[in-house]
Amino acid sequence: MKRCPKCNRVETENALMFCRVDGTRLITDSLTSDSTATAILHSAPVSGRTSTRSLQGTPSIAILPFANMSNDAEYEYFCDGLAEELLNALAKVENLKVAARTSAFSFKGSNTNVSEIGRVLNVNSVLEGSVRKSGDKLRITVQLINASDGYHLWSERYDRQMKDIFDVQDEITMAVVDALRVKLLGEDKAALLKRYTDNTEAYELYLKGRYFYNKYTAEDLQKGIEYFERAIKKEPEYAPAYAGIGFCYGALWYFGFFAPHEIMPKWRAVISRALEIDSDLADAHLSLASIHFYYEWNFTKAERSYQRAIVLNANSPDAHWRYGHFLAALERFEEAISEGRQALELDPLSLVTKFFMVRIYWFANRLDDALEQAQGMIEMEPSFPSAYVALGGVCLQKGLYEEAVKAYQQALTLHGFVGSALSYLGAVYGIMGKRDEAHNVLSQLLEMRKTQHVTAYRIACVYGGLGENDKAFEWLEKAVEEKNGEIVFLKREVEANIFDESIRQDPRFADLMRQVGLPQ
């Protein structure tokens, strides 16, 4: 039992307590040991409490990662995964705004009060919870809080077995929808309660795959693939696991860890299988859009897949910024900015979303807006290397060459985007007339290419900055042969001063545009 020093409230019924004054959460737990847990965990739920208080405005919610109350820290993947599964389910509700995972999970482990969380994420309710896992026994406690005043809208405790986890998820989801007074159509409810497996072993392996995917390093992406594959062995029809592998493959390819010919056949296969099992899986359509855009250069199919992903999950910030980035490449700038802003509204604390918003503004020649976003990233996380890559591009286009050099050097110091940061640095040196430094960068990139995947496009950029157009075209033609994804942004990067402006007057440039299918 614990008493709040601010509001004097005593909470003994639930595992989480919230101050009635400012919403600060105080964690306690009546399950103090595994032996006690085994004794008191039962299969029936404890009846919940629903408040008569109502929310102001359009229903919106942030789902925070659940607290791990188990003795084993290894169960963190399960707590994160359970919250993410609830988030993904509620994101399908058409009339409910759901804050994205990245932003909501940024509050993990903090004592930020719910009013502040609501303000930062622009939501009027917050869902928190805790999980205690003991063998096959589960205790899940959930609280839905009104962000404006910190009062409960609904709370529940579930004492169940692991085999009941899918029923618990459905019950929580429907209880939240009911408490927020969101009207559901028949199709909405079916989508909300859709299950991809009843196999709890496969489900736990899938959650582990998501856990490692979200860490977004090469090593963790590989681990994510391993867990997704193990989930599929347990449940061969597990469509989200196939889509999860696809996202891992896409990230490994996009960040330059594998060449297209190494990854693309595998990537295509898992996405095809995911859509074969479930043609309405939003994540699979989003992954397919990337294949159409970056690899096939089939922009009609890419747009169709991006739009389909958004229809299926309008609360997906990834779908909005990816579609915006695509539109920027096609010079549809107003649409691109609109999509980017929707992504930021859904995921305001995501560094990745901000990075691509910079790219969209940069390509649209909205340099002041791009600079503001880049500086905001650095203020939020000074050790985020991509922020300096973004800043370097803006400075380059503004003609602030020394500042661009410093930004790219900082990105390299932080070991992020090594190939692209080094390539852009070489291009800036070339533009500045520092030919020795530019050729030194070329030597580094060519040496790296012997032992790891460095795209031909990266080398072409340096030659472009040097104004050595014959060599630049030689490597751009290799980039087309290699299916380098970056080449879809060639025209935008020429206009952003990465390449010498004279390259556009060469007939070979128009020919490259035709091969890739880009507007001239």
Side-chain angles (χ1 to χ4, degrees), residues 341-361:
R341 285 175 174 168
Q342 286 186 67
L344 278 177
E345 183 179 342
L346 289 164
D347 209 357
L349 301 183
S350 167
L351 293 167
V352 171
T353 301
K354 287 181 179 293
F355 172 78
F356 283 98
M357 191 73 242
V358 174
R359 297 263 302 174
I360 291 168
Y361 279 136

Side-chain angles (χ1 to χ4, degrees), residues 329-345:
L330 300 187
E331 302 180 14
R332 291 160 58 183
F333 298 124
E334 291 305 314
E335 294 173 82
I337 290 168
S338 175
E339 292 295 332
R341 285 175 174 168
Q342 286 186 67
L344 278 177
E345 183 179 342

Side-chain angles (χ1 to χ4, degrees), residues 212-392:
F212 285 108
Y213 165 75
N214 284 312
K215 289 179 176 289
Y216 234 60
T217 69
E219 182 181 356
D220 288 314
L221 288 167
Q222 293 281 19
K223 283 185 182 178
I225 291 171
E226 291 173 14
Y227 280 111
F228 288 135
E229 288 177 339
R230 288 171 60 185
I232 290 167
K233 285 183 180 179
K234 296 285 184 182
E235 177 57 85
E237 301 292 302
Y238 205 169
Y242 288 102
I245 294 173
F247 273 140
C248 290
Y249 282 152
L252 287 167
W253 169 73
Y254 187 85
F255 292 117
F257 295 110
F258 290 98
H261 71 273
E262 295 177 292
I263 209 82
M264 201 55 63
K266 298 176 184 178
W267 191 4
R268 284 182 191 275
V270 293
I271 295 306
S272 295
R273 183 66 181 120
L275 290 171
E276 182 182 316
I277 298 167
D278 182 6
S279 61
D280 289 335
L281 187 60
D283 284 353
H285 283 283
L286 196 53
S287 200
L288 182 61
S290 292
I291 295 173
H292 290 323
F293 178 32
Y294 292 107
Y295 186 74
E296 296 175 351
W297 306 328
N298 189 324
F299 302 140
T300 301
K301 285 186 176 181
E303 181 157 24
R304 193 180 303 140
S305 293
Y306 282 126
Q307 291 176 339
R308 182 61 178 154
I310 290 171
V311 167
L312 292 168
N313 187 359
N315 279 306
S316 168
D318 279 13
H320 287 292
W321 67 248
R322 288 172 192 263
Y323 185 37
H325 201 219
F326 163 84
L327 291 168
L330 300 187
E331 302 180 14
R332 291 160 58 183
F333 298 124
E334 291 305 314
E335 294 173 82
I337 290 168
S338 175
E339 292 295 332
R341 285 175 174 168
Q342 286 186 67
L344 278 177
E345 183 179 342
L346 289 164
D347 209 357
L349 301 183
S350 167
L351 293 167
V352 171
T353 301
K354 287 181 179 293
F355 172 78
F356 283 98
M357 191 73 242
V358 174
R359 297 263 302 174
I360 291 168
Y361 279 136
W362 183 42
F363 289 149
N365 203 28
R366 296 271 295 268
L367 299 185
D368 289 339
D369 291 321
L371 182 60
E372 181 182 351
Q373 288 290 331
Q375 290 172 335
M377 275 193 287
I378 293 170
E379 289 173 11
M380 185 184 295
E381 181 50 74
S383 63
F384 184 52
S386 300
Y388 297 95
V389 174
L391 178 62

Side-chain angles (χ1 to χ4, degrees), residues 76 93 141 146 150 186 188 198 272 276 340 378 386 412 445 456 491:
E76 182 181 358
V93 180
T141 303
N146 188 331
D188 291 335
D198 290 313
S272 295
E276 182 182 316
I378 293 170
S386 300
L412 291 168
L445 289 168
K491 187 179 179 185

Side-chain angles (χ1 to χ4, degrees), residues 83-104:
E84 187 173 2
E85 286 292 283
L86 293 170
L87 187 157
N88 290 337
L90 290 167
K92 298 174 184 175
V93 180
E94 184 175 353
N95 298 316
L96 178 63
K97 176 193 168 187
V98 182
R101 180 194 187 280
T102 309
S103 289

Side-chain angles (χ1 to χ4, degrees), residues 15-16 25 27-29 64-70 75-76 78-80 82-83 108-109 128-133 139-141:
L16 293 177
R25 60 182 184 271
I27 298 178
T28 183
D29 199 324
L64 305 187
F66 285 11
N68 180 17
M69 308 304 290
S70 307
Y75 288 128
E76 182 181 358
F78 186 85
C79 299
D80 285 3
L82 177 58
K108 183 175 181 176
E128 292 195 319
S130 68
V131 179
R132 179 180 284 279
K133 197 171 186 293
R139 167 166 288 181
I140 300 172
T141 303

